[in-house]
Amino acid sequence: MKRSKFLFTEAQEILPGGVNSPVRAFSRVGGNPVYFKRGKGAYLYDEDNKAYIDYVGSWGPMIAGHAHPDVIHAVQEAAQNGLGFGAPTEIETQLAKKIQLHMPTMELMRMVNSGTEATMSALRVARGFTGRDKIVKFEGCYHGHSDGLLVKAGSGALTLGEPDSAGVPQQVAEQTLTLPFNDIEAAKILFSQLGEQVAAIIIEPVAGNMGMVMPVPGFLAELKRLCLDYGALLIFDEVMTGFRVGLKGAQGLFSVQPDLTTLGKVIGGGLPVGSFGGRRDIMECVAPLGPVYQAGTLSGNPIAMASGIATLSIIEKPDFFPDLQAQTSNFVKRLEVLARDRKVPLTANSIGGMFGFFFTSDNPVSNFSQVLNSNTSNFNAFFHHMLASGINLAPSPFESGFVSGAHTEQEFAATLDAADTAFKNI
Ligand code: HOZ
């Protein structure tokens, strides 16, 4: 940690809080962030050459493991032809087709550079299409940092204890209505009063930014029904779940068809890519076809497209998701058993290659209030013990964990050994 400490001190002189994204500053867990210089497979290496088994995976995209040779090769090949043209290229259509193959609800889509851009743009499309202003989101769900979405948001906004950001105009925040996650009755009441003003419901179909919280059975389908009844659109924010909980995303797993979908993370394989898309008649509102403006110099960047295509090609292999799902679920079950044996209340869950755990005896954890009531001091103690033992977890109890195809029993066993000692000491 010696060099990480030095680098963090230096960074604080020039970057706000020393970071380019708040959660990275370790504000929630305390201590100094680790500076990484290299990743390979399931491992990251810090500036002092210490190795860590990584369960952050760049917050999701590294589903194939760090520096997968196929991805690196594709990026190098693409880079030799130039870094970007700001003009159409064949490769952006190829990535779009690959996405559509697995998510047929994406009838028309546009590439952007981040999940934030994708959600912000999808909302504009929803408003342009419906002619309505209000949107509905769920407490603890995080959809990037655009103004209207920083209302009762999760992830870094929650981590810092500031669910509402300064700088968001009141008039903008007022257009965002929030509901408790998994509470369909509350949604029905809201729609009975304001349904005709709602352009869209936006939801993480599996919440991943307040820890990982699964939808209760039927919840997503009921939301779809409400949207149909009131002429609102259903937007699945699959930036985190897309190509992570399964090849067809959460929409495939739960068999609920959103009107619009937002993607990011895995579809860029670690490079900055996002996408929003959905029903053709809705997406035809987007310029130049329609009146909703959206643009970007770096959108569809060929290097990022190449990285995304190579990553999707790896995870499309028939055994990839069954193996990832089995490994991840086995891992979290063993984690729960260890905690139980040490009499530490813990509820863990996983889906595909995504997992979460809360220090609580509530089981399941299915809403934001339960999340906030979990024991965050235990999380912090656990986190630091694991980090010292060379296990890299997200530095906040309000994030998800990610397993890659490069994690093997060797890494799981080492992680569980460290967890057992950590449970003993908290
Ligand atoms: N909002 C991201 C996690 N949910 C964190 C991004 C980052 O710090 O890189």
Side-chain angles (χ1 to χ4, degrees):
M1 282 294 274
K2 223 168 121 199
R3 199 163 148 70
S4 288
K5 273 190 185 148
F6 168 78
L7 291 171
F8 189 47
T9 306
E10 188 187 30
Q12 283 168 293
E13 295 296 315
I14 192 148
L15 305 172
V19 290
N20 284 310
S21 188
V23 189
R24 301 177 193 180
F26 275 36
S27 328
R28 189 61 188 75
V29 290
N32 279 271
V34 182
Y35 276 61
F36 294 112
K37 63 175 178 188
R38 195 165 69 83
K40 184 69 195 152
Y43 291 85
L44 287 177
Y45 301 86
D46 76 9
E47 287 283 347
D48 294 300
N49 293 317
K50 176 174 168 174
Y52 298 78
I53 301 170
D54 183 32
Y55 292 96
V56 178
S58 194
W59 303 92
M62 294 304 173
I63 190 162
H66 292 280
H68 190 288
D70 294 0
V71 181
I72 299 301
H73 178 73
V75 166
Q76 284 171 339
E77 286 267 295
Q80 289 191 11
N81 293 323
L83 297 183
F85 317 117
T89 55
E90 184 179 357
I91 196 167
E92 56 196 354
T93 308
Q94 287 170 356
L95 178 58
K97 280 188 174 172
K98 238 185 197 325
I99 292 172
Q100 191 187 57
L101 185 71
H102 304 297
M103 282 190 189
T105 62
M106 303 273 282
E107 291 171 355
L108 267 188
M109 75 190 82
R110 175 152 288 171
M111 299 297 170
V112 291
N113 303 293
S114 68
T116 289
E117 263 189 78
T119 53
M120 180 182 81
S121 308
L123 286 184
R124 185 176 302 153
V125 173
R127 286 175 164 138
F129 180 78
T130 59
R132 301 171 179 185
D133 287 341
K134 298 223 181 292
I135 57 149
V136 173
K137 77 175 281 293
F138 292 88
E139 292 168 7
C141 282
Y142 176 75
H143 306 284
H145 62 276
S146 68
D147 281 357
L149 288 167
L150 281 179
V151 180
K152 298 211 173 164
S155 187
L158 176 57
T159 303
L160 295 171
E162 291 167 10
D164 301 304
S165 168
V168 174
Q170 188 63 32
Q171 296 88 328
V172 174
E174 278 168 14
Q175 302 303 326
T176 305
L177 310 170
T178 56
L179 285 171
F181 193 78
N182 273 331
D183 187 344
I184 195 62
E185 290 314 314
K188 284 182 182 165
I189 292 169
L190 184 148
F191 270 78
S192 69
Q193 292 162 359
L194 295 167
E196 261 101 45
Q197 296 173 45
V198 174
I201 295 179
I202 183 164
I203 185 166
E204 293 179 85
V206 174
N209 284 286
M210 51 170 153
M212 195 190 104
V213 178
M214 295 288 287
V216 294
F219 179 61
L220 299 172
E222 294 256 30
L223 292 181
K224 171 81 185 182
R225 165 62 39 210
L226 267 183
C227 285
L228 283 171
D229 288 350
Y230 287 89
L233 304 184
L234 180 62
I235 305 175
F236 274 4
D237 177 351
E238 296 228 45
V239 168
M240 198 178 270
T241 55
F243 300 99
R244 187 29 100 172
V245 298
L247 199 51
K248 295 174 184 303
Q251 53 195 272
L253 276 183
F254 299 110
S255 301
V256 175
Q257 296 201 328
D259 299 295
L260 292 172
T261 299
T262 59
L263 295 171
K265 300 193 190 273
V266 171
I267 63 161
L271 290 189
V273 183
S275 177
F276 64 99
R279 263 172 47 197
R280 183 172 292 276
D281 58 327
I282 300 171
M283 286 299 289
E284 279 173 349
C285 286
V286 178
L289 289 182
V292 175
Y293 196 71
Q294 188 284 327
T297 297
L298 297 173
S299 297
N301 173 273
I303 320 298
M305 299 293 101
S307 172
I309 290 175
T311 302
L312 292 188
S313 302
I314 296 164
I315 69 175
E316 276 168 346
K317 297 193 175 119
D319 288 344
F320 187 89
F321 267 106
D323 286 354
L324 188 70
Q325 160 99 26
Q327 300 251 51
T328 311
S329 133
N330 183 269
F331 166 59
V332 301
K333 279 186 188 134
R334 288 156 76 192
L335 190 69
E336 272 191 321
V337 170
L338 287 179
R340 195 178 317 137
D341 290 350
R342 296 285 177 200
K343 309 233 173 327
V344 175
L346 184 99
T347 296
N349 214 340
S350 75
I351 182 161
M354 184 170 158
F355 68 91
F357 56 90
F358 296 103
F359 286 91
T360 177
S361 43
D362 286 4
N363 196 350
V365 172
S366 46
N367 61 46
F368 189 45
S369 318
Q370 285 175 295
V371 168
L372 292 180
N373 282 334
S374 66
N375 188 329
T376 53
S377 310
N378 271 0
F379 177 88
N380 291 355
F382 181 75
F383 169 82
H384 278 294
H385 181 91
M386 295 298 273
L387 194 68
S389 310
I391 314 293
N392 187 49
L393 297 168
S396 160
F398 309 125
E399 299 285 351
S400 294
F402 301 100
V403 170
S404 79
H407 288 73
T408 67
E409 177 52 26
Q410 186 182 327
E411 284 77 39
F412 295 125
T415 306
L416 291 164
D417 268 356
D420 192 36
T421 315
F423 289 142
K424 208 165 29 178
N425 290 304
I426 60 177

